[in-house]
Amino acid sequence: MADELGAAQHEIDMYIRLIPLIALVDGSNNRRVTVTEGEPSMVPSCSDHHTRFPSRVVEFIDLHVQGAAKPGEIAGKSVTVDLQEGKIMDIEAVLKLCIHTEKNYPGFRRFDFFQIMEATDGFSEKRKLGKGGFGTVYKGHLHDGLTVAMKRFDADAAIFDFKTELQLVSIHHGNLIKLLGWCIHEKERILVYEYIQKGSLDRTIFRKTKGALLNWSKRLQIIKGIAEGLLYLHKHYWIVHRDLKPNNILLDLDTNPRIADFGSAVTLVSDVAEEHTGRVVGTSGYIAPEYASQGIYSLKTDVFSFGVLVLEIISGRRNFTMELQGDTVGNLVRDAWHMWRDEKLHELVDPALSDGYDSPVIIRCTQVALLCAQEDPADRPTMTDVTAMLNSESILLSDPKEPTELTNGGASADSSSSYTGQSSKTIDITITSSAPVSTRIRIIVDRDLTGEKYNQQLLYSRIDIDGCKKMIDSSSLCIGIPK
């Protein structure tokens, strides 16, 4: 209890130290600075194409503090300030936290920085496994023969990005990534994880050459493993991952899935809690409708993402949404529902599976996935129900409701298989600069029906600049910037 009170006092001290820093911002800067309340988070994501959906424009401003020798230096201590989260990264505080955690968890150990440098060849590009919004992950080979994944945090990562990730030390499950150790050296903050040999799920299911390696038995094993991992997080810790997608599912040598990259995760006060945030994070195509539009999240937020993920594992296709046409669930969910209704689920199944699958099992998995991907969270089952439905054929399943159709000339109810026989590649790009805007552009490159080449066509783009939304067609790449 004394340790917990001490940690709470330190947290309050950091908030107090932030107040005068904001008050002393140079008045010559005309840009508006908004400090929002930070929310609990979990492991920083380092997966590729990680996308944030801010409800307001994201600004990072150089602070000119009166009486300080250098910007960002308080009482002689080097700190990093993230005004959006209202947090100060105090290296000394993080160091104390890691030492305290190591004492309480003997298996969690400290790594020497020079040992990490040697293991990663000085953080060389050839060792890079992935990069996300909070840092970069590198593959490292230690002297004892152990291969690990080392997450090197960016300089602007907030304190909760690092601090709450340490909760993984106490969470042990066969379908969750394992945290092994830490390293704090000057301004470097590094966490060390077990290395998962086969990499992320997206590198397999979306590639024809590798997708064939995942037969239906292995895909079902992956689906059930992810469900068990989520159930463990929800039932025992009330943790919402909030960015469940193939990039964040790692496969070991036995094709067992490990949920990773908890950068968007939060802990609820109960298993039925529903909370609201002004800072919506996640990845397009997997984010629940109520969370994307209203910032409302609960355990049912992960259930929606799980449903989309299952449909992708079954079909080998990505789900993408057309937000400007009122799309709330994505093309894959909509197509799958029409195929399920018309009893044409054979059109949904990944061609790489050929005929090597059990039709009744795939039909059941698809129906469970559609129930998970319902637009109304009240219509979605809990992960307890999901695991029961996947493991027992005696449980009767209800019929999933039809997804909302697209507006503005979108798909009609009769176009049940508008994407059959096609595959598409979605690239989410976040562009940031010194200007006070955050711009996200989605580019979809569609493969023609012969599968021999790409059409090199910009099918859909969305740009958010101070709330302004623009559509760009393939005939013009000129972007209108509002005054």
Side-chain angles (χ1 to χ4, degrees):
M1 185 177 295
D3 291 338
E4 292 177 359
L5 289 174
Q9 181 179 355
H10 184 75
E11 191 83 2
I12 295 171
D13 289 342
M14 286 190 296
Y15 276 110
I16 294 174
R17 287 165 54 189
L18 181 63
I19 295 173
L21 180 63
I22 298 171
L24 294 176
V25 173
D26 188 349
S28 63
N29 193 327
N30 293 323
R31 284 182 287 184
R32 180 181 178 184
V33 182
T34 302
V35 180
T36 60
E37 180 182 0
E39 57 180 333
S41 182
M42 281 288 292
V43 181
S45 170
C46 284
S47 59
D48 293 326
H49 313 310
H50 186 78
T51 307
R52 299 191 185 191
F53 298 82
S55 59
R56 60 178 66 85
V57 174
V58 178
E59 286 193 3
F60 289 93
I61 301 175
D62 292 330
L63 299 183
H64 303 282
V65 184
Q66 298 175 5
K70 296 178 182 179
E73 194 171 73
I74 303 177
K77 294 184 178 180
S78 177
V79 298
T80 301
V81 181
D82 182 342
L83 289 185
Q84 186 192 16
E85 296 299 337
K87 296 284 187 178
I88 298 178
M89 175 60 83
D90 187 331
I91 297 298
E92 292 184 10
V94 174
L95 179 60
K96 291 179 181 179
L97 179 63
C98 288
I99 294 174
H100 175 75
T101 305
E102 183 178 359
K103 289 179 179 179
N104 285 275
Y105 298 92
F108 183 66
R109 65 189 179 101
R110 183 174 188 172
F111 287 82
D112 181 76
F113 179 70
F114 298 101
Q115 178 188 14
I116 290 178
M117 286 286 289
E118 184 179 359
T120 60
D121 295 333
F123 300 112
S124 66
E125 285 292 320
K126 67 179 181 180
R127 295 286 190 181
K128 185 184 294 186
L129 295 175
K131 181 174 177 59
F134 301 100
T136 305
V137 178
Y138 297 87
K139 182 179 180 180
H141 299 291
L142 303 177
H143 283 302
D144 59 5
L146 181 64
T147 301
V148 296
M150 301 179 177
K151 183 177 295 183
R152 186 188 190 191
F153 284 77
D154 292 337
D156 59 355
I159 190 169
F160 69 86
D161 295 334
F162 188 97
K163 179 179 178 181
T164 55
E165 181 169 355
L166 295 180
Q167 293 183 40
L168 283 180
V169 174
S170 62
I171 301 177
H172 300 287
H173 189 273
N175 297 118
L176 301 176
I177 194 72
K178 185 178 180 180
L179 181 60
L180 303 177
W182 62 281
C183 175
I184 303 295
H185 178 76
E186 295 180 352
K187 294 184 179 181
E188 294 283 356
R189 295 148 295 158
I190 299 168
L191 289 177
V192 181
Y193 292 88
E194 62 176 333
Y195 175 72
I196 308 300
Q197 297 85 348
K198 288 188 176 181
S200 58
L201 177 62
D202 69 301
R203 297 181 181 180
T204 303
I205 60 172
F206 298 134
R207 297 182 182 180
K208 286 187 176 181
T209 55
K210 292 186 176 182
L213 300 177
L214 286 182
N215 57 30
W216 173 242
S217 176
K218 291 181 179 179
R219 296 191 191 209
L220 183 60
Q221 174 185 336
I222 294 170
I223 291 171
K224 290 184 176 181
I226 298 171
E228 292 292 341
L230 274 183
L231 174 61
Y232 185 77
L233 288 174
H234 289 186
K235 184 177 180 179
H236 298 283
Y237 297 93
W238 305 331
I239 290 175
V240 188
H241 188 281
R242 296 200 303 180
D243 196 25
L244 196 67
K245 58 183 178 180
N247 308 63
N248 294 339
I249 304 298
L250 305 179
L251 303 178
D252 64 16
L253 289 177
D254 296 321
T255 322
N256 293 313
R258 308 286 185 91
I259 302 174
D261 290 346
F262 286 74
S264 304
V266 290
T267 303
L268 300 176
V269 296
S270 73
D271 59 341
V272 295
E274 186 179 83
E275 298 186 11
H276 180 274
T277 179
R279 175 179 175 264
V280 179
V281 296
T283 302
S284 178
Y286 305 91
I287 189 168
E290 73 280 1
Y291 181 46
S293 61
Q294 305 173 58
I296 298 174
Y297 62 89
S298 64
L299 296 181
K300 295 294 185 71
T301 302
D302 282 348
V303 176
F304 178 89
S305 302
F306 174 78
V308 173
L309 187 55
V310 172
L311 293 178
E312 291 188 332
I313 293 173
I314 292 173
S315 67
R317 290 170 42 193
R318 291 187 185 272
N319 185 51
F320 66 88
T321 55
M322 303 284 284
E323 289 100 335
L324 298 185
Q325 290 183 313
D327 195 353
T328 58
V329 296
N331 69 312
L332 179 58
V333 176
R334 188 173 296 101
D335 286 352
W337 187 88
H338 286 125
M339 294 173 189
W340 169 81
R341 180 198 62 182
D342 298 337
E343 299 182 353
K344 296 181 179 179
L345 282 181
H346 62 278
E347 297 180 2
L348 177 69
V349 178
D350 189 345
L353 292 175
S354 299
D355 295 327
Y357 59 89
D358 187 347
S359 294
V361 178
I362 279 193
I363 292 173
R364 187 174 185 83
C365 285
T366 303
Q367 190 168 349
V368 171
L370 290 172
L371 289 171
C372 291
Q374 294 287 276
E375 291 171 89
D376 188 344
D379 295 329
R380 300 171 203 154
T382 64
M383 288 309 301
T384 300
D385 297 331
V386 170
T387 54
M389 290 187 290
L390 290 175
N391 291 305
S392 176
E393 297 181 3
S394 62
I395 298 177
L396 297 178
L397 304 182
S398 58
D399 292 342
K401 296 179 180 178
E402 180 179 4
T404 301
E405 293 297 340
L406 300 183
T407 59
N408 301 327
S412 64
D414 295 331
S415 58
S416 60
S417 302
S418 59
Y419 294 92
T420 302
Q422 302 182 38
S423 63
S424 60
K425 183 177 182 181
T426 303
I427 307 173
D428 285 307
I429 305 173
T430 300
I431 303 174
T432 58
S433 66
S434 58
V437 291
S438 178
T439 303
R440 182 172 69 88
I441 303 175
R442 175 184 298 157
I443 302 172
I444 297 172
V445 184
D446 201 6
R447 186 185 294 272
D448 62 4
L449 291 177
T450 65
E452 296 177 354
K453 63 181 181 179
Y454 283 100
N455 290 327
Q456 301 295 336
Q457 183 181 15
L458 180 62
L459 299 180
Y460 167 69
S461 296
R462 172 174 176 259
I463 299 182
D464 290 334
I465 302 177
D466 291 334
C468 178
K469 296 180 180 179
K470 297 288 182 180
M471 287 295 294
I472 310 170
D473 59 29
S474 59
S475 62
S476 175
L477 297 181
C478 297
I479 302 175
I481 305 297
K483 295 181 180 180

